[in-house]
Structure formats: structure tokens, C-alpha cells
């Protein structure tokens, strides 16, 4: 299938590893030129070089602290100078700390709001003028199955990712007349460092070993395995494609039937 992505420009946030890296690589393999960021300069440049070597696509890489408005503004200006437009924006970032309501301080809620909601809004506002220069604008935001069904011990993620999903749905309505689609992709248990972090958190306190915590998590998954970053990236690539031009406002679950909520 021709996704119609050859020669398009994609911005992928938090792309040095995990889901962001997988999405960037998948888009480049479909012919996208990239602009990618992470906090760590060495890590993002290493990822950029790997993608250049394996795909032959142009990759602009920059270290950016997404919580700083000036960093986002500088990155946007660099993308504009390099490519002149953006066709695809993939909003992505790290997850907040696990914890229950009683274990979390008010300041942690504020920090999670900045990390998950405010940075997504700030990044999208910065790139929207460049997306409006495209004939197939796409805004894709990575959320979580927590937007559909709350996850134990993830108070911050459950609360703030739901806000992001509401923002995305509202923006989809607002940008629909311009032909810009706005969607979320909600990964379940994908085999990433974040998944390992949550397994370690479940084992914390000595009630079970890390191996036991992993086995317990796998036992709850209908497919009996974790998803791969590549499977997640395939969903992002489809939503970015011309094939998905009439799909907007959704929150696509990539979870192997893990979530029991009826859509």
C-alpha cells in the first residue's frame, strides 16, 4: 500500500528511544524527511544518524527541553528554515512518576500537567503555522490506554492523559475545516523502557520480584505478550498517511485487546 508519505516532513518529539524512535524510523522508511528531538544531544544525534544510514532520508536532530518555551521556539524556527513546512507532528514525551493520590504532592500534579498537557499545547501551537502550509496536515499525539481505563498506581497519567485526549478531540473539530486531522494513539503494554520502569515500580517494596511482577503483568494481557514499538509505530504511520485523510478525533488503542472499555 502506498501511504503517500514520500517527500513529506515529519516532526517527532522525544524520538531518541522507545515509541518516539520507532515512529520516526517507520515514517522515514515511508519516505518522510524528519525533524526529531530529545533532551540529550548525543542520544538524538545517534538516532538521527541511524535513521539517515538505514533510510537515506534527511534528518534534522536537536536537543530540546520541551518544558522551555524558548527551546520549542528555536526548534520550530530551525525546522522552518530547513524544510519550510511540516506535514506531520507527532507529540510524544515521557510518562510521569507512578503513585497513588496519597503518595503524590500537589507539585507533582503541576509538573505532570506541564509535561503532558502544556508541552503538547505549546508544541502544537508552535508548529501549527507550518502545518497549515501542508496539503495533508496531521497532528498525532501519543497518549495511553489510561485515557480509556484507569490504571492502578498511575494517578498522574490517568488524570493528565485524559485531559490531553479531550484537548485533541476538541482541536480535531476546530481544524477539520482546514483538512488537518488530529488524533491520538494510545499504547498499552509495549516493550519499552517505560514498561520496564512500571514493572520495577510494581515490584518495589519487596512484595514480589521484578520477574514475578513481569509475569503478573503478562498474565493480564489477552495476547500473552507485550506489544513491540514497531507495532505501535505502524499505527502512527497509518494515521499520518493519505489513507487516513477522513479519520480525525479518534484515540486509537494499540493494546492487543488489553482494555476492557467498550468503544
Amino acid at each position: 500500500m502506498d501511504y503517500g508519505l514520500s517527500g513529506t516532513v515529519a516532526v517527532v518529539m522525544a524520538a531518541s528511544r522507545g515509541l518516539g524512535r520507532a515512529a520516526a524510523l517507520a515514517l522515514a522508511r515511508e519516505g518522510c524527511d524528519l525533524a526529531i528531538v530529545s533532551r540529550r544531544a548525543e542520544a538524538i544525534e545517534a538516532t538521527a544518524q541511524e535513521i539517515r544510514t538505514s533510510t537515506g532520508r534527511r534528518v534534522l536532530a536537536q536537543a530540546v527541553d520541551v518544558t522551555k518555551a524558548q527551546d520549542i521556539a528555536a526548534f520550530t524556527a530551525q525546522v522552518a528554515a530547513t524544510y519550510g513546512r511540516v506535514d506531520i507532528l507527532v507529540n510524544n514525551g515521557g510518562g510521569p512518576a507512578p503513585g497513588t493520590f496519597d503518595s503524590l504532592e500537589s507539585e507533582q500534579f503541576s509538573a505532570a500537567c506541564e509535561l503532558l498537557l502544556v508541552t503538547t499545547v505549546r508544541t502544537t501551537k508552535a508548529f501549527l503555522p507550518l502545518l497549515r502550509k501542508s496539503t495533508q496536515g496531521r497532528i498525532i499525539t501519543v497518549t495511553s490506554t489510561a485515557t480509556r481505563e484507569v490504571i492502578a498506581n498511575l494517578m498522574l497519567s490517568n488524570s493528565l492523559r485524559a485531559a490531553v485526549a479531550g484537548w485533541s478531540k476538541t482541536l480535531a473539530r476546530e481544524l477539520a475545516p482546514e483538512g488537518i486531522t488530529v488524533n491520538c494513539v494510545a499504547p498499552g503494554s509495549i516493550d519499552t523502557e517505560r514498561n520496564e520502569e512500571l514493572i520495577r515500580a510494581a515490584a518495589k517494596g519487596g512484595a514480589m520480584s521484578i520477574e514475578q511482577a513481569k509475569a503478573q503483568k503478562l498474565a493480564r494481557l489477552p495476547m500473552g505478550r507485550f506489544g513491540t514499538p514497531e507495532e505501535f509505530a505502524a499505527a502512527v504511520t497509518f494515521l499520518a498517511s493519505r489513507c487516513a485523510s477522513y479519520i480525525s478525533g479518534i484515540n486509537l488503542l494499540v493494546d492487543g485487546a488489553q482494555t476492557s472499555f467498550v468503544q
Side-chain angles (χ1 to χ4, degrees):
M1 181 183 292
D2 181 6
Y3 279 165
L5 292 174
S6 182
T8 59
V9 177
V11 173
V12 184
M13 310 302 290
S16 65
R17 61 183 182 176
L19 300 181
R21 182 186 182 281
L25 180 57
L27 289 167
R29 284 174 173 164
E30 291 296 326
C32 294
D33 290 325
L34 300 177
I36 60 176
V37 302
S38 80
R39 286 177 181 262
R40 300 175 298 158
E42 288 185 8
I44 198 62
E45 184 52 43
T47 295
Q49 190 54 48
E50 289 173 12
I51 294 173
R52 293 184 194 111
T53 301
S54 64
T55 69
R57 305 309 305 183
R58 298 172 68 191
V59 184
L60 170 66
Q62 187 169 321
V64 171
D65 183 346
V66 295
T67 65
K68 295 180 178 178
Q70 62 269 30
D71 278 20
I72 293 294
F75 176 56
T76 306
Q78 190 171 359
V79 173
T82 303
Y83 295 121
R85 75 175 197 283
V86 169
D87 301 291
I88 302 151
L89 170 63
V90 181
N91 287 309
N92 179 43
T100 63
F101 184 76
D102 281 338
S103 70
L104 296 165
E105 301 297 331
S106 298
E107 292 77 14
Q108 290 175 280
F109 280 86
S110 296
C113 184
E114 177 73 25
L115 175 68
L116 295 178
L117 178 61
V118 177
T119 60
T120 300
V121 171
R122 181 183 294 125
T123 302
T124 303
K125 273 190 170 291
F127 281 104
L128 189 54
L130 293 176
L131 284 159
R132 284 181 163 131
K133 294 183 178 182
S134 172
T135 60
Q136 59 181 90
R138 304 282 187 267
I139 299 170
I140 301 166
T141 301
V142 181
T143 57
S144 163
T145 55
T147 58
R148 291 288 189 177
E149 185 175 70
V150 297
I151 302 171
N153 203 45
L154 290 185
M155 169 61 74
L156 296 176
S157 186
N158 293 340
S159 303
L160 276 304
R161 292 196 192 277
V164 171
W167 163 84
S168 180
K169 180 69 172 180
T170 307
L171 187 62
R173 288 265 185 109
E174 293 183 4
L175 295 182
E178 300 179 53
I180 298 174
T181 67
V182 186
N183 293 295
C184 292
V185 182
S189 295
I190 309 294
D191 192 11
T192 62
E193 290 182 26
R194 170 66 171 174
N195 191 50
E196 294 174 3
E197 175 193 346
L198 296 178
I199 290 170
R200 289 194 298 270
K204 189 176 180 181
M208 67 180 84
S209 68
I210 291 176
E211 291 75 18
Q212 289 171 323
K214 181 177 181 179
Q216 186 181 84
K217 190 169 188 178
L218 283 167
R220 293 196 296 266
L221 302 180
M223 289 192 176
R225 67 173 178 87
F226 299 127
T228 68
E230 292 74 22
E231 287 170 320
F232 165 84
V236 172
T237 303
F238 173 72
L239 288 177
S241 75
R242 287 193 181 275
C243 303
S245 57
Y246 202 64
I247 299 174
S248 193
I250 70 166
N251 188 18
L252 178 62
L253 296 173
V254 183
D255 70 341
Q258 176 183 351
T259 306
S260 59
F261 185 90
V262 179
Q263 298 186 66

